[in-house]
Amino acid sequence: MKILNFLVIIIFLFNLNVSNANDRNLNSKITKNLRCLICQGQSIHDSDTEFANSLKLVVEKKITEGMSENEIYEFLKTKYGEWILYDPALNQKTYILWLLPLLLFLIGGAIIFKNLKIKKN
Amino acid sequence: MKTKILLPFIIVSFLFIFFILYVGLNRSNIYIPETVTNEKIPTFKVKVFNSEKKLTSIEIFENDIYYLLNIWASWCIPCRDEHPYLMELKKNKKLEIVGLNYKDKVKNANNFLNELNNPYTLILSDTDGTIAIEWGAYGVPETFLIYNGKIIKKIIGPMNNNLFKEIESVVK
């Protein structure tokens, strides 16, 4: 019985550690994608300003409350707008940003394909 | 034939890149928040300053009057500059000023109010800055004019004479 209790405790502690590590990873992933609004060029993760430290706490709290990554982004977007995110969503303002690389890739691919075809012939 | 297509293609590409860079360079990379909003006030629970009592946002802004939520701290120098305006606004009976004390020490905050007088009908405590985030604030001072559960004006930075007059004209 004692061994069983011991095993249950060990498994519980192990699961707790795994869960904490997952939360920490998610926290780090989210804060790295958030722009520090008062320190240009730095993410919330890298910044040590009052604003960044508070935002880190908010993200931690929201993760504990069970909010998903996207829900946290949506929450912060309602507070600070799209500017808070380093990774902008696909919308009317960002069509060029997202589609231009794909377009350039297709054009480049077509040129290479055409040249190879000419060489073969 | 090849050069006939290639030349216009290169010119169009250059013009396109030039246009993108030109627009990009002219755009500000500084965060400028909206000052006129019609957002609902956030829902939160907060500790009352100098007390163990906790209040919800609905309990704080329940009456059918104008509210001014002012985020302040004793260490914030611009807060001293806007303080006389808040003292003046305190005289308006249709307006209630709620203070949100941001990342401050109780002793320092009390000294600040003793020195400059207290314009607030209620002071809330935000020791870790998370309540300010709920309001979409990113520094101190910031002020929100609230009516009917909605933020109708947001002031970033200290209040000045123009903003003071603007608030007075709204809250007649």
Side-chain angles (χ1 to χ4, degrees):
Chain A
M1 193 62 189
K2 267 185 185 174
I3 294 168
L4 193 70
N5 282 344
F6 180 72
L7 276 174
V8 167
I9 290 167
I10 292 290
I11 290 166
F12 175 74
L13 285 176
F14 180 73
N15 278 336
L16 201 70
N17 262 343
V18 170
S19 156
N20 282 345
N22 286 342
D23 281 0
R24 267 202 302 276
N25 287 342
L26 182 61
N27 193 323
S28 166
K29 190 185 170 197
I30 293 171
T31 51
K32 276 179 186 167
N33 190 26
L34 298 177
R35 192 191 305 271
C36 177
L37 302 178
I38 53 170
C39 34
Q40 295 293 311
Q42 261 189 320
S43 71
I44 288 295
H45 186 267
D46 298 327
S47 173
D48 200 31
T49 58
E50 295 288 350
F51 171 72
N53 289 336
S54 300
L55 201 46
K56 281 176 203 164
L57 285 176
V58 170
V59 171
E60 198 181 308
K61 203 175 120 191
K62 299 289 174 195
I63 291 172
T64 317
E65 282 171 10
M67 272 173 98
S68 70
E69 186 181 348
N70 281 340
E71 282 171 337
I72 294 171
Y73 290 150
E74 281 307 312
F75 165 78
L76 291 170
K77 262 162 68 179
T78 59
K79 306 289 172 194
Y80 298 102
E82 190 88 41
W83 183 244
I84 189 94
L85 300 181
Y86 271 123
D87 197 5
L90 182 68
N91 60 37
Q92 272 185 335
K93 285 181 183 172
T94 58
Y95 277 152
I96 291 180
L97 184 73
W98 284 102
L99 298 179
L100 192 65
L102 188 71
L103 198 72
L104 290 175
F105 176 76
L106 288 175
I107 292 169
I111 291 169
I112 292 168
F113 183 74
K114 205 182 165 190
N115 282 345
L116 283 175
K117 214 176 171 187
I118 290 166
K119 267 188 183 176
K120 256 189 180 179
N121 287 336
Chain B
M1 182 67 191
K2 216 175 176 185
T3 44
K4 265 186 186 175
I5 303 166
L6 201 65
L7 195 67
F9 179 74
I10 290 169
I11 293 168
V12 169
S13 303
F14 268 103
L15 283 173
F16 184 72
I17 293 166
F18 176 79
F19 174 75
I20 297 281
L21 290 176
Y22 184 76
V23 172
L25 284 170
N26 279 316
R27 276 183 66 179
S28 167
N29 61 350
I30 297 164
Y31 173 62
I32 304 160
E34 297 267 331
T35 51
V36 180
T37 67
N38 205 19
E39 294 165 35
K40 275 187 179 174
I41 55 162
T43 40
F44 57 88
K45 204 169 189 182
V46 64
K47 201 170 129 320
V48 176
F49 180 73
N50 238 346
S51 139
E52 285 308 308
K53 194 180 167 190
K54 281 191 170 184
L55 290 173
T56 62
S57 46
I58 299 157
E59 288 169 315
I60 299 162
F61 305 102
E62 62 180 354
N63 296 327
D64 191 23
I65 53 163
Y66 283 94
Y67 288 95
L68 203 64
L69 180 97
N70 177 245
I71 304 176
W72 67 284
S74 65
W75 47 262
C76 149
I77 304 298
C79 296
R80 286 181 174 266
D81 298 336
E82 73 168 2
H83 207 81
Y85 295 113
L86 295 175
M87 289 306 295
E88 201 56 38
L89 285 169
K90 190 189 179 182
K91 293 171 189 166
N92 192 326
K93 296 291 165 212
K94 288 179 186 167
L95 180 74
E96 211 166 272
I97 309 176
V98 178
L100 182 68
N101 187 234
Y102 180 83
K103 291 190 170 184
D104 209 353
K105 285 181 178 154
V106 175
K107 192 185 163 194
N108 294 347
N110 278 327
N111 287 342
F112 180 92
L113 294 175
N114 289 338
E115 185 193 333
L116 300 168
N117 286 327
N118 184 359
Y120 310 110
T121 42
L122 173 70
I123 304 175
L124 310 165
S125 185
D126 186 18
T127 47
D128 57 8
T130 52
I131 305 294
I133 300 279
E134 293 284 346
W135 284 89
Y138 65 102
V140 272
E142 276 194 34
T143 308
F144 301 81
L145 184 63
I146 299 146
Y147 184 67
N148 225 356
K150 283 184 177 172
I151 301 165
I152 55 172
K153 174 123 187 104
K154 195 172 173 182
I155 298 168
I156 317 289
M159 201 177 293
N160 55 35
N161 202 32
N162 289 341
L163 292 164
F164 166 75
K165 280 179 184 165
E166 203 180 311
I167 291 173
E168 281 228 307
S169 68
V170 175
V171 191
K172 274 185 200 163

